[in-house]
Amino acid sequence: MATLNSKIPEGDISQKWTNYKAHQRLVNPANKRKLDVIVVGTGLAGASASASLAEMGFNVKAFCYQDSPRRAHSIAAQGGINAAKNYQNDGDSVYRLFYDTIKGGDYRAREANVHRLAEVSNSIIDQCVAQGVPFAREYGGLLDNRSFGGAQVSRTFYARGQTGQQLLLGAYSALMRQVNKKKVTLFTRHEMLNLVMVDGKARGIIARDMVTGKLTRHFAHAVVIASGGYGNAFFLSTNAMGSNGSAAWQIYKKGAYFANPAYVQIHPTCIPVHGSFQSKLTLMSESLRNDGRIWVPRKKEDAEAIRAGKLKPTQLAEEDRDYYLERRYPAFGNLVPRDVASRAAKERCDAGYGVGSGLAVYLDFADAINRLGKDVVEARYGNLFQMYEKIVDDNPYETPMMIYPAIHYTMGGIWVDYELMTTIPGLYAIGEANFSDHGANRLGASALMQGLADGYFVLPYTIQNYLSDEILTPRMTTKEKEFEEAENEITGKIDKLMNINGKMSVDSFHKKFGLQLWDFVGMARNKEGLEKALASFKELKESFWKDIKIPGKKDELNPELEKAGRVADFIEIGELMAKDALMREESCGGHFREEHQTEEGEAKRNDKDFMFVGAWEYKGEGQEPALHKEVLEYENIQVAQRNYKK
Amino acid sequence: MDLTLKIWRQENAKAKGKFETYKVKDISPDSSFLEMLDVLNQQLIEDNVAVPVCFDHDCREGICGMCGLYINGRPHGPDTAVTTCQLHMRKFNDGDTIVIEPWRAKPFPIIKDLVVDRSAFDKIIEAGGYVSVNTGGIPDANAIPIPKKDADISMDAAACIGCGACVASCKNASAMLFVAAKVSQFAHLPQGKVEAKDRVKNMIAKMDELGFGNCTNTGACEAECPKEISLTHIAKLNREFFAAKIL
Ligand SMILES: Cc1cc2nc3c(=O)[nH]c(=O)nc-3n(C[C@H](O)[C@H](O)[C@H](O)COP(=O)(O)OP(=O)(O)OC[C@H]3O[C@@H](n4cnc5c(N)ncnc54)[C@H](O)[C@@H]3O)c2cc1C
Ligand code: SF4
Ligand code: FES
């Protein structure tokens, strides 16, 4: 049975990664050619890992469900990527980035991993510039930075409002260069549906060719999951429509532990929900909080008048506005971390001060425009303003934007050790798919950093420590019984789905489930709600397998079938989220239990009992999963209550 | 809004396609075009009328380049500088008939209904759309200052999302704007200079080989490009191309 050994190297925190690299086992060039690696996902994590492994000489098979690797969800990241370059000479350092990330994560992340992340952050920027990523620059020709929430330095690199796009295109181009060299084989429009294990080790996957519906078998000496987060469980989120938790869920069911599923991030600045037909929520980058000020009316009657359309926000005098973040958190103001900003918005709206539908607050640029001029604001945020205007049909240069928190990111994910290996030998998880680095809350611009750190600079080294033992393992034909069984399992599942023959579309079902997940396992949780959710999800799961309808055939392009498979998994993931949230009797980061708050409504951690990573082990259908604890030890940072007030 | 939709239906690559007519009711003007299609599909499924209409999409925020429909004779529809997923129904009128087709271009064969195969774009990038650096051992990012003006033009070009609207709008099915965007991004940066000649030659050769047509400067691509990639990048590409051939 798998045990939780996080394999943290010995030595001083600043030397651990250096020491590790100096002593790990490597694979020599002649042997690399004999080794195959499957990488599921071509987002920042997957594309950078595939390219780097191929450059080193391994044979890579890269999978994505889109028609091109360039379209992975990472493409949508707007605001930026952090690094400890200290180009602005404002006192940044590897230690400070490490410290901010641990603190931002509310002391629920593993020190050694986070320090390594901060260490390699600078190389990422160098790498991307060398690839031709057109980061924003100052007039002198050097790189520009902006600041993001949870930091008092400017360490965020950006490419207009399209940082994720530019970083992903950089990684994609590196990947395509290896495709050209025949070191990477691409499988686009292929969805991984099962993991193949032989003698306890990961040896391949079963994927469905989404165009023909054919199930295909793929062997590798090691498998890397880079499939992103499970935020779409909520139906409405800022994730791409196809983002899913299924690859992670399949490996969970094969024995990989799932850590901290309850830690989801609610992003404070998204365009509010406006109708039941809505299919997704659009993020307005956190970078807007650099210059935008968040407020609601100070008086309830003004808020009511605004909601009724009788009053315009621009008509409200300065003293009638409540800049509640600046009021509550003078030191960080509008730049408090996301969890804090989101809860503060919910608090104001729940108290009756919301605008729009009642579930919205203002993000106002009037001051910035006065101070900097419209041109500067346009240069910084032009494309975001345009996006807002296209969606809402309102001009943010003239009236304040309306925003509300929405599901955005999942800190929880597959448990991995220091080497990014899961509890299954030979199986790795990188990027948003794993749980590492962000603790209970992720700071803005740190997901891109983590995805690329894992893919370019960490996994390509650590995986060799495992592969060096595999050089004598011959390639399998995929006719072996383990491949056969893994495929049969999926054929069975697909047939079962196709034969449900109910009346409800998968989307209608998902909306219903997502709403409950949002209500009970969303921004604020309590025991009663979570227990209710658990009972309800059980019923919903039964209903799913009776009531949904998938038209068309299984052996053709069939988006309804694809969605059904993902939603079936989302229900189960939701269940585990609720269990985890119920188990964690404290508030920390994105996990807010109403029973555990201070008198001022701030999150109250319980370090004595809950300073651990909760990793869940699957015990079989209908069985309770088992909880394993990885106790967190802080040797280099003094654990404190997070304070963004002073 | 109540609308009549004429949609291209084609079961698979080999089947013969045809237009089918559907009606949708009570569409919110605030919904996006794809949300309107979601409503249609929901209706087709729950009323047991037909198999839902297949169309490509993912991010639904205009950045992944996955969506792309030919709407009333225009790629990405009547609005300017938006992708199909960012097109909102307020751009149409109650009672309108809307004709929806896939991209039509030989190098983009239809897979099903409104879904086409754009892997030809990946093949063009594979032929040279990169700077040949491996991971690691790279000098400091600020070692080479790059004039802001150049970085900005490079970024303008790099904004291409690879959607294929330029090809769909072009009577020659030329991929020139797409190729130019990549070539120009690198041509404005010192990092891209080293391999500039090979890059432009290889990418153009691949484009020709894949069956994309020639550019005859009609400019339809620029007008329909959701990211407003400018024709000046094609001019830059031509300069790079001739320089590569002469020297
Ligand atoms: C709107 C938005 C803005 C953001 N802005 C920022 C920002 O400014 N800064 C920041 O640091 N972070 C930001 N984030 C977060 C960040 O973008 C993501 O966390 C990160 O990009 C995830 O990268 P990834 O490589 O782990 O996964 P993804 O990019 O999600 O890629 C997942 C890949 O896995 C593939 N895949 C999934 N399932 C399967 C399967 N079963 N079979 C085959 N393939 C599969 C997909 O095809 C895809 O290629 C933002 C997120 C959103 C939603
Ligand atoms: S150039 Fe414009 S139209 Fe052509 S693929 Fe790029 S973004 Fe799309
Ligand atoms: S769905 Fe991504 S650009 Fe339209």
Side-chain angles (χ1 to χ4, degrees), chain A residues 48 51-52 55 65-73 75-78 85 87 122-123 125-143 159-160 162 165-166 169 172-174 176-182 186 188-189 211 238-243 274 277-283 386-387 389-393 456-457 503-508 511 549-553 556-560 563, chain B residues 11 28 30-32 34-35 38-39 41-42 44-67 79-82 86 88 90-91 111-112 115-119 121-123 125-149 151-156 158-164 178 182 185-186 189 191 195 226-228:
Chain A
S48 57
S52 306
E55 286 161 9
Y65 67 76
Q66 294 92 343
D67 70 333
S68 162
R70 67 180 288 155
R71 307 205 200 282
H73 166 59
I75 200 100
Q78 302 168 348
K85 283 283 196 187
Y87 283 162
N122 291 340
S123 306
I125 304 302
D126 301 340
Q127 186 68 35
C128 296
V129 166
Q131 289 169 343
V133 169
F135 281 122
R137 287 177 183 267
E138 295 166 348
Y139 283 100
L142 301 182
L143 293 162
R160 291 206 187 128
Q162 292 121 279
Q165 179 197 26
Q166 293 311 315
L169 292 182
Y172 160 75
S173 65
M176 294 315 286
R177 178 169 161 248
Q178 295 306 315
V179 173
N180 192 37
K181 293 188 166 175
K182 310 263 181 293
L186 271 186
T188 60
R189 292 196 198 268
V211 174
T238 61
N239 288 5
M241 300 302 288
S243 294
H274 57 267
F277 52 82
Q278 199 160 347
S279 58
K280 76 157 282 169
L281 295 171
T282 304
L283 174 79
Q386 186 222 15
M387 186 149 106
E389 186 167 356
K390 291 280 180 199
I391 295 174
V392 182
D393 206 18
Y456 282 133
F457 297 110
K503 289 202 164 59
M504 206 172 179
S505 76
V506 177
D507 279 353
S508 329
K511 279 184 193 179
K549 174 171 170 182
I550 305 168
K553 298 189 286 270
E556 62 177 2
L557 183 61
N558 189 340
E560 293 302 314
K563 284 190 281 188
Chain B
E11 220 180 304
S28 160
D30 287 332
S31 71
S32 70
L34 298 184
E35 285 167 346
D38 290 343
V39 172
N41 276 343
Q42 174 88 1
L44 295 181
I45 299 168
E46 296 191 346
D47 297 349
N48 216 353
V49 180
V51 183
V53 179
C54 277
F55 56 90
D56 261 336
H57 65 108
D58 203 27
C59 74
R60 295 208 177 184
E61 16 190 280
I63 192 74
C64 73
M66 187 106 176
C67 67
D79 202 357
T80 49
V82 294
Q86 289 177 301
H88 279 75
R90 60 181 87 92
K91 295 285 162 191
I111 293 176
K112 185 179 178 183
V115 177
V116 301
D117 179 356
R118 280 170 296 198
S119 49
F121 269 8
D122 286 331
K123 297 208 175 75
I125 298 294
E126 191 190 320
Y130 39 74
V131 175
S132 298
V133 289
N134 283 354
T135 303
I138 304 276
D140 186 81
N142 260 347
I144 312 171
I146 300 174
K148 179 167 167 27
K149 179 173 62 61
D152 284 348
I153 301 175
S154 175
M155 179 62 216
D156 289 342
C160 165
I161 57 174
C163 65
F178 170 77
K182 198 37 84 189
Q185 173 195 344
F186 291 135
L189 298 173
Q191 297 90 320
E195 302 160 282
K227 296 295 144 184
E228 302 182 294

